[in-house]
Amino acid sequence: MSCIHNSPLPCFSASYSSFPRRNRCASFNPRVHCALGGTVAEPKSTTSTEPLLLNAVRGEDVERPPVWLMRQAGRYMKSYQIICEKYPSFRQRSENTDLVVEISLQPWNVFKPDGVILFSDILTPLSGMNIPFDIVKGKGPIIANPISETAQVDQVREFVPEENVPYVGEALTILRKEVDNKAAVLGFVGAPFTLASYVVEGGSSKHFSKIKRLAFSQPQILHALLQKFTSSMARYIQYQADNGAQAVQIFDSWATELSPVDFEEFSLPYLKQIVESVKRTHPDLPLILYASGSGGLLERLASTGVDVVSLDWTVDMAEGRRRLGADIAVQGNVDPGVLFGSKEFITKRINDTVKKAGKGKHILNLGHGIVVGTPEENVAHFFEVAKGIRY
């Protein structure tokens, strides 16, 4: 999974038909206290055979927090690096069904996490929306024609995932069969403001001056672009769910570059639209929202209507629980750098996070994606400790 482009990735743009293909085929809840006086809904007993992650999100009685890691597929794994040598382009790897499935299953085969996330990228839909892009080695994402005018927004097409990214649906269907409900299969999308940031800035940015100039001088242009991303991402989530995703994470990676008042204008309404649209057609699909550096926006993130707010590591888990309230699940939020520490240190931080989160409605995860160079044996230890926890 690649969702936030902090480091450059190689790219390849071509037809992938030459690659090998598979055969396709409102009730009262008593409260329990967690650390620092926060509360969570009393877990409900269940005999469900659904994946642990889904049961935890829904507030059912679970024996431990489910665990998976953002960016768990790829990056740090030796098996992934071997694939990269054979297929050096990120798009080559992420736009071919068989490679997507193989890479998505690599951490599942080794660590057996409770969530198996699709190997893809938040920018994957752009080509189908008539926004040419590339991911260039040494530079990262490059948008061929950054958007700044109404005429360019008019050229942006609505995303039709079944036509534009059929390999995503095919891969999710295969993953559901391979994982066989022993873990939840997860999809993901980029949030409208984050996608707009890339296409307006022309790629990654440090200061986001171009999109802020557009937002503050010609907001009608940005709103029109955001609306197109909103309807397209809602449809993309529905498509992923229809093809096997059991939960979907929304990445609003760059929304925290906005002040709270600007977040309320340029991000929040569009996130709410996505949630409302998806919940009309898929009311039981858990939606997870992640925004890095979101400590100043937690309450606003919760107001989107998502089922889970994923906390980054700069927020104390107990404080996050208290601020979000009892009825929303949380995900996170171990610092990815902890995985460079000793096994004793990793264990301590896991236990601290779980204690502060309290019992139930918690998905153990990192507060960001795994860092390149993370020792694979430390990832194995993380999962071993996490899966050994009992409430």
Side-chain angles (χ1 to χ4, degrees):
M1 174 183 68
S2 178
C3 304
I4 305 171
H5 300 280
N6 291 333
S7 58
L9 294 167
C11 180
F12 177 84
S13 189
S15 170
Y16 306 128
S17 58
S18 60
F19 288 100
R21 308 292 286 181
R22 295 173 184 263
N23 293 326
R24 308 296 184 228
C25 348
S27 59
F28 170 75
N29 287 322
R31 311 294 184 191
V32 296
H33 289 274
C34 69
L36 295 189
T39 61
V40 294
E42 177 68 42
K44 295 169 285 187
S45 61
T46 178
T47 57
S48 173
T49 57
E50 285 199 311
L52 177 67
L53 187 147
L54 301 185
N55 292 336
V57 170
R58 293 166 181 160
E60 297 176 354
D61 192 16
V62 293
E63 64 179 6
R64 63 171 176 86
V67 57
W68 70 280
L69 303 180
M70 287 185 279
R71 287 179 170 171
Q72 67 185 15
R75 299 173 69 85
Y76 64 99
M77 295 190 74
K78 179 61 177 176
S79 55
Y80 175 72
Q81 294 163 10
I82 292 172
I83 289 179
C84 291
E85 293 174 1
K86 187 175 182 180
Y87 305 102
S89 146
F90 179 83
R91 289 190 63 185
Q92 182 182 14
R93 298 189 295 273
S94 65
E95 297 181 14
N96 172 269
T97 300
D98 295 295
L99 293 177
V100 169
V101 169
E102 181 178 355
I103 295 167
S104 300
L105 288 175
Q106 284 179 342
W108 167 249
N109 292 332
V110 178
F111 308 120
K112 291 295 186 290
D114 297 303
V116 175
I117 193 163
L118 177 76
F119 178 76
S120 186
D121 194 277
I122 63 171
L123 301 185
T124 294
L126 294 187
S127 293
M129 299 182 72
N130 197 30
I131 305 175
F133 80 102
D134 217 334
I135 303 177
V136 179
K137 186 176 182 179
K139 295 182 179 180
I142 301 294
I143 307 302
N145 299 297
I147 291 177
S148 61
E149 301 175 352
T150 298
Q152 291 175 290
V153 176
D154 292 341
Q155 294 300 311
V156 176
R157 295 193 295 256
E158 293 291 330
F159 184 54
V160 184
E162 53 268 31
E163 296 178 5
N164 303 139
V165 292
Y167 49 85
V168 169
E170 293 167 359
L172 286 168
T173 300
I174 296 169
L175 289 173
R176 276 295 298 273
K177 182 177 180 180
E178 293 288 334
V179 176
D180 193 27
N181 234 32
K182 297 180 178 68
V185 172
L186 309 176
F188 70 92
V189 303
F193 181 80
T194 290
L195 294 174
S197 295
Y198 279 110
V199 303
V200 172
E201 295 287 338
S204 300
S205 178
K206 290 184 178 180
H207 304 293
F208 297 87
S209 57
K210 294 180 181 178
I211 193 166
K212 289 188 178 183
R213 181 184 297 116
L214 189 64
F216 302 151
S217 65
Q218 295 179 293
Q220 71 281 1
I221 297 177
L222 180 55
H223 281 300
L225 179 61
L226 291 168
Q227 191 59 59
K228 287 197 172 184
F229 280 131
T230 297
S231 56
S232 293
M233 291 309 102
R235 185 170 183 173
Y236 194 23
I237 293 173
Q238 292 161 336
Y239 171 78
Q240 291 185 26
D242 289 342
N243 283 276
Q246 293 166 287
V248 175
Q249 181 154 315
I250 303 168
F251 286 87
D252 208 353
S253 312
W254 304 132
T256 51
E257 294 293 328
L258 295 169
S259 68
V261 66
D262 294 320
F263 176 82
E264 290 179 351
E265 178 175 355
F266 297 107
S267 181
L268 183 59
Y270 300 102
L271 290 169
K272 286 183 174 180
Q273 281 188 48
I274 289 174
V275 173
E276 291 168 1
S277 180
V278 171
K279 290 297 184 180
R280 280 196 296 269
T281 59
H282 299 76
D284 298 323
L285 178 71
L287 297 176
I288 307 167
L289 177 58
Y290 174 80
S292 57
S294 60
L297 298 173
L298 290 188
E299 292 83 359
R300 290 172 175 84
L301 297 183
S303 74
T304 60
V306 295
D307 303 280
V308 186
V309 170
S310 188
L311 305 178
D312 76 1
W313 75 93
T314 65
V315 178
D316 182 84
M317 175 58 78
E319 180 184 347
R321 272 289 208 189
R322 176 180 57 78
R323 289 173 58 190
L324 289 169
D327 295 321
I328 191 165
V330 294
Q331 178 174 271
N333 68 332
V334 178
D335 183 342
V338 166
L339 292 177
F340 289 97
S342 67
K343 289 181 171 57
E344 292 77 15
F345 185 69
I346 295 170
T347 300
K348 179 181 178 181
R349 287 300 181 88
I350 292 172
N351 289 330
D352 178 68
T353 299
V354 172
K355 179 181 178 181
K356 288 180 175 178
K359 183 179 181 181
K361 284 203 166 187
H362 174 222
I363 302 169
L364 181 61
N365 205 314
L366 301 178
H368 199 285
I370 294 179
V371 179
V372 175
T374 299
E376 202 164 336
E377 61 270 23
N378 285 2
V379 178
H381 180 73
F382 187 100
F383 279 109
E384 180 182 1
V385 171
K387 297 180 78 172
I389 290 172
R390 294 295 180 269
Y391 285 130

